[in-house]
PDB file of all heavy atoms in Angstrom:
ATOM      1  N   ALA A 120      -2.509 -11.567   6.316  1.00  0.00           N
ATOM      2  CA  ALA A 120      -2.597 -12.476   7.405  1.00  0.00           C
ATOM      3  C   ALA A 120      -3.605 -12.056   8.499  1.00  0.00           C
ATOM      4  O   ALA A 120      -4.339 -12.896   8.976  1.00  0.00           O
ATOM      5  CB  ALA A 120      -1.215 -12.737   7.977  1.00  0.00           C
ATOM      6  N   THR A 121      -3.595 -10.818   8.807  1.00  0.00           N
ATOM      7  CA  THR A 121      -4.462 -10.256   9.877  1.00  0.00           C
ATOM      8  C   THR A 121      -5.982 -10.354   9.435  1.00  0.00           C
ATOM      9  O   THR A 121      -6.825 -10.871  10.170  1.00  0.00           O
ATOM     10  CB  THR A 121      -4.143  -8.773  10.165  1.00  0.00           C
ATOM     11  OG1 THR A 121      -2.813  -8.746  10.534  1.00  0.00           O
ATOM     12  CG2 THR A 121      -4.964  -8.340  11.297  1.00  0.00           C
ATOM     13  N   MET A 122      -6.212 -10.008   8.178  1.00  0.00           N
ATOM     14  CA  MET A 122      -7.500 -10.061   7.628  1.00  0.00           C
ATOM     15  C   MET A 122      -8.024 -11.511   7.646  1.00  0.00           C
ATOM     16  O   MET A 122      -9.175 -11.759   8.098  1.00  0.00           O
ATOM     17  CB  MET A 122      -7.526  -9.583   6.207  1.00  0.00           C
ATOM     18  CG  MET A 122      -8.754  -9.590   5.457  1.00  0.00           C
ATOM     19  SD  MET A 122      -8.534  -8.985   3.700  1.00  0.00           S
ATOM     20  CE  MET A 122      -7.801 -10.446   2.976  1.00  0.00           C
ATOM     21  N   ILE A 123      -7.243 -12.440   7.185  1.00  0.00           N
ATOM     22  CA  ILE A 123      -7.621 -13.861   7.086  1.00  0.00           C
ATOM     23  C   ILE A 123      -7.825 -14.481   8.571  1.00  0.00           C
ATOM     24  O   ILE A 123      -8.816 -15.112   8.873  1.00  0.00           O
ATOM     25  CB  ILE A 123      -6.617 -14.707   6.322  1.00  0.00           C
ATOM     26  CG1 ILE A 123      -6.564 -14.231   4.786  1.00  0.00           C
ATOM     27  CG2 ILE A 123      -6.921 -16.169   6.391  1.00  0.00           C
ATOM     28  CD1 ILE A 123      -7.713 -14.565   3.904  1.00  0.00           C
ATOM     29  N   MET A 124      -6.851 -14.211   9.431  1.00  0.00           N
ATOM     30  CA  MET A 124      -6.869 -14.727  10.706  1.00  0.00           C
ATOM     31  C   MET A 124      -8.066 -14.248  11.547  1.00  0.00           C
ATOM     32  O   MET A 124      -8.507 -14.993  12.437  1.00  0.00           O
ATOM     33  CB  MET A 124      -5.565 -14.542  11.426  1.00  0.00           C
ATOM     34  CG  MET A 124      -4.408 -15.370  10.908  1.00  0.00           C
ATOM     35  SD  MET A 124      -2.889 -14.974  11.763  1.00  0.00           S
ATOM     36  CE  MET A 124      -3.101 -15.744  13.315  1.00  0.00           C
ATOM     37  N   SER A 125      -8.534 -13.102  11.262  1.00  0.00           N
ATOM     38  CA  SER A 125      -9.692 -12.570  11.956  1.00  0.00           C
ATOM     39  C   SER A 125     -10.925 -13.255  11.635  1.00  0.00           C
ATOM     40  O   SER A 125     -11.939 -13.208  12.433  1.00  0.00           O
ATOM     41  CB  SER A 125      -9.881 -11.100  11.615  1.00  0.00           C
ATOM     42  OG  SER A 125      -8.691 -10.368  11.751  1.00  0.00           O
ATOM     43  N   HIS A 126     -11.005 -13.941  10.543  1.00  0.00           N
ATOM     44  CA  HIS A 126     -12.295 -14.572  10.176  1.00  0.00           C
ATOM     45  C   HIS A 126     -12.210 -16.082   9.920  1.00  0.00           C
ATOM     46  O   HIS A 126     -13.162 -16.637   9.356  1.00  0.00           O
ATOM     47  CB  HIS A 126     -12.713 -13.918   8.784  1.00  0.00           C
ATOM     48  CG  HIS A 126     -13.227 -12.466   9.013  1.00  0.00           C
ATOM     49  ND1 HIS A 126     -14.546 -12.250   9.331  1.00  0.00           N
ATOM     50  CD2 HIS A 126     -12.574 -11.289   8.915  1.00  0.00           C
ATOM     51  CE1 HIS A 126     -14.621 -10.917   9.497  1.00  0.00           C
ATOM     52  NE2 HIS A 126     -13.543 -10.323   9.249  1.00  0.00           N
ATOM     53  N   ILE A 127     -11.210 -16.734  10.435  1.00  0.00           N
ATOM     54  CA  ILE A 127     -11.221 -18.194  10.355  1.00  0.00           C
ATOM     55  C   ILE A 127     -10.926 -18.839  11.697  1.00  0.00           C
ATOM     56  O   ILE A 127     -10.284 -18.210  12.523  1.00  0.00           O
ATOM     57  CB  ILE A 127     -10.146 -18.745   9.302  1.00  0.00           C
ATOM     58  CG1 ILE A 127      -8.882 -17.969   9.434  1.00  0.00           C
ATOM     59  CG2 ILE A 127     -10.788 -18.789   7.912  1.00  0.00           C
ATOM     60  CD1 ILE A 127      -7.683 -18.774   9.118  1.00  0.00           C
ATOM     61  N   SER A 128     -11.390 -20.075  11.838  1.00  0.00           N
ATOM     62  CA  SER A 128     -11.070 -20.836  13.107  1.00  0.00           C
ATOM     63  C   SER A 128     -10.766 -22.282  12.613  1.00  0.00           C
ATOM     64  O   SER A 128     -10.928 -22.610  11.464  1.00  0.00           O
ATOM     65  CB  SER A 128     -12.341 -20.916  13.871  1.00  0.00           C
ATOM     66  OG  SER A 128     -12.813 -19.657  14.119  1.00  0.00           O
ATOM     67  N   ALA A 129     -10.169 -23.038  13.480  1.00  0.00           N
ATOM     68  CA  ALA A 129      -9.824 -24.408  13.249  1.00  0.00           C
ATOM     69  C   ALA A 129     -11.059 -25.148  12.652  1.00  0.00           C
ATOM     70  O   ALA A 129     -12.172 -24.943  13.107  1.00  0.00           O
ATOM     71  CB  ALA A 129      -9.385 -25.145  14.518  1.00  0.00           C
ATOM     72  N   GLY A 130     -10.800 -25.887  11.573  1.00  0.00           N
ATOM     73  CA  GLY A 130     -11.938 -26.693  10.984  1.00  0.00           C
ATOM     74  C   GLY A 130     -12.472 -25.949   9.762  1.00  0.00           C
ATOM     75  O   GLY A 130     -13.164 -26.553   8.977  1.00  0.00           O
ATOM     76  N   ASP A 131     -12.148 -24.659   9.545  1.00  0.00           N
ATOM     77  CA  ASP A 131     -12.657 -23.935   8.375  1.00  0.00           C
ATOM     78  C   ASP A 131     -11.696 -24.163   7.189  1.00  0.00           C
ATOM     79  O   ASP A 131     -10.643 -24.607   7.337  1.00  0.00           O
ATOM     80  CB  ASP A 131     -12.661 -22.408   8.706  1.00  0.00           C
ATOM     81  CG  ASP A 131     -13.671 -22.024   9.806  1.00  0.00           C
ATOM     82  OD1 ASP A 131     -14.492 -22.778  10.089  1.00  0.00           O
ATOM     83  OD2 ASP A 131     -13.506 -20.832  10.248  1.00  0.00           O
TER      84      ASP A 131
END
Side-chain angles (χ1 to χ4, degrees):
T121 305
M122 178 183 77
I123 297 289
M124 286 175 77
S125 309
H126 285 278
I127 40 149
S128 307
D131 293 347

